[in-house]
Amino acid sequence: MQCIETSLMRAVTARVALSRALERRVERAFARPSSRGARGRVGKRSKLATRQSLGGGGDMSRKADDASRVTVRSIETATETQRKDVHVVLVTPKIPGNTGCIARTCAAARVPLHLVGPLGFSLDDAQLKRAGLDYWKSVCVRVHDDWEAFYAYWRGLERPGRLVAFSKFGARPHAEEGAYAPGDWLLFGAETTGLPDAAMEACKATGGVRRIPIDETHVRSLNLSVSAGIGVYEALRQLDGSPTGE
């Protein structure tokens, strides 16, 4: 009898312990969402505070931002190391990763990069920074509010050079000999809509519209960053000649 009672007591004790363990586990499970919510609220408050500290809130900050848009805004400048005979212009790009990759290409080729708004992302976008990480300081990046602002900036240069568009509707191949000249500006449009009509007309009047040939059986277009890389290095090949000197 004593052995049976001992066994029963042990079973009861074990069941009580298991029940308490399950209760604690359930309490922790219900507590997690609220803790995440608290962290989310803190994160939102901290982001708001950061935006305000960087000039993102209040009438004064908005006025300062409006004033900064009057002139060309420079993010990173590496003008001492950049080429002067070719430039890349992205008109209303939408995908931050593409712009970051193009910035990396421009840094490798020592080619200045211009961004024409409205942009489809913030210049603080994490994907943009990851794609162009450690390269922003090696590329001259200037941001223009819209096409009209960029066009006015370009026309105001002492020697503006030509505007050369890249489009699937271009009449001439991108690799045609003599397609590029010193001082050219290579223009690439948005991933979804391409270059606006005003940009296309400006290019037709100066440097023309170039097309990178593709087989459209399975794809409609190349990725923007791929197109920019092809265009940049073909232009450099023609401007600099063969790397082997042949």
Side-chain angles (χ1 to χ4, degrees):
M1 289 292 294
Q2 187 174 1
C3 291
I4 294 175
E5 290 178 356
T6 302
S7 298
L8 288 173
M9 288 296 294
R10 288 177 179 173
V12 171
T13 301
R15 179 166 293 185
V16 170
L18 178 61
S19 178
R20 288 177 179 175
L22 290 173
E23 288 177 359
R24 286 195 296 270
R25 188 170 297 178
V26 170
E27 289 174 357
R28 285 197 298 270
F30 278 100
R32 283 172 187 163
S34 62
S35 62
R36 282 199 299 268
R39 286 196 298 271
R41 289 192 294 273
V42 172
K44 290 180 181 178
R45 286 197 296 270
S46 63
K47 289 180 181 178
L48 177 60
T50 302
R51 285 199 299 268
Q52 292 175 343
S53 66
L54 293 175
D59 293 337
M60 293 182 64
S61 63
R62 281 194 294 272
K63 290 179 181 178
D65 183 61
D66 291 339
S68 68
R69 296 185 181 206
V70 175
T71 58
V72 175
R73 291 168 295 171
S74 186
I75 303 170
E76 297 284 0
T77 55
T79 52
E80 295 301 318
T81 60
Q82 297 296 289
R83 298 179 66 113
K84 305 296 190 297
D85 57 350
V86 64
H87 313 262
V88 170
V89 183
L90 304 184
V91 182
T92 63
K94 304 300 181 186
I95 301 175
N98 285 338
T99 299
C101 288
I102 294 170
R104 180 173 180 172
T105 297
C106 288
R110 299 187 297 111
V111 173
L113 173 65
H114 290 249
L115 304 180
V116 178
L119 307 179
F121 49 84
S122 166
L123 294 174
D124 294 326
D125 193 290
Q127 291 182 354
L128 179 70
K129 290 183 176 180
R130 281 197 296 270
L133 191 62
D134 296 332
Y135 302 100
W136 287 105
K137 293 182 179 179
S138 301
V139 59
C140 176
V141 183
R142 294 191 177 186
V143 183
H144 308 263
D145 286 337
D146 49 33
W147 170 253
E148 288 75 17
F150 168 77
Y151 191 61
Y153 166 81
W154 173 78
R155 292 188 63 184
L157 297 174
E158 184 177 352
R159 296 180 180 178
R162 307 184 309 168
L163 300 177
V164 180
F166 284 79
S167 169
K168 65 183 294 182
F169 304 109
R172 308 295 299 180
H174 81 290
E176 183 179 30
E177 291 299 329
Y180 309 98
D184 278 355
W185 297 69
L186 312 183
L187 274 65
F188 300 85
E191 292 89 341
T192 53
T193 57
L195 287 165
D197 292 340
M200 290 287 283
E201 292 302 318
C203 291
K204 289 177 182 179
T206 56
V209 182
R210 296 289 165 176
R211 184 181 191 276
I212 300 173
I214 61 172
D215 183 346
E216 297 189 44
T217 303
H218 302 292
V219 297
R220 291 180 297 176
S221 62
L222 293 173
N223 176 273
L224 177 61
S225 62
V226 172
S227 298
I230 292 173
V232 166
Y233 277 97
E234 176 58 26
L236 295 184
R237 184 191 71 82
Q238 295 194 22
L239 294 176
D240 297 343
S242 171
T244 62
E246 298 177 355

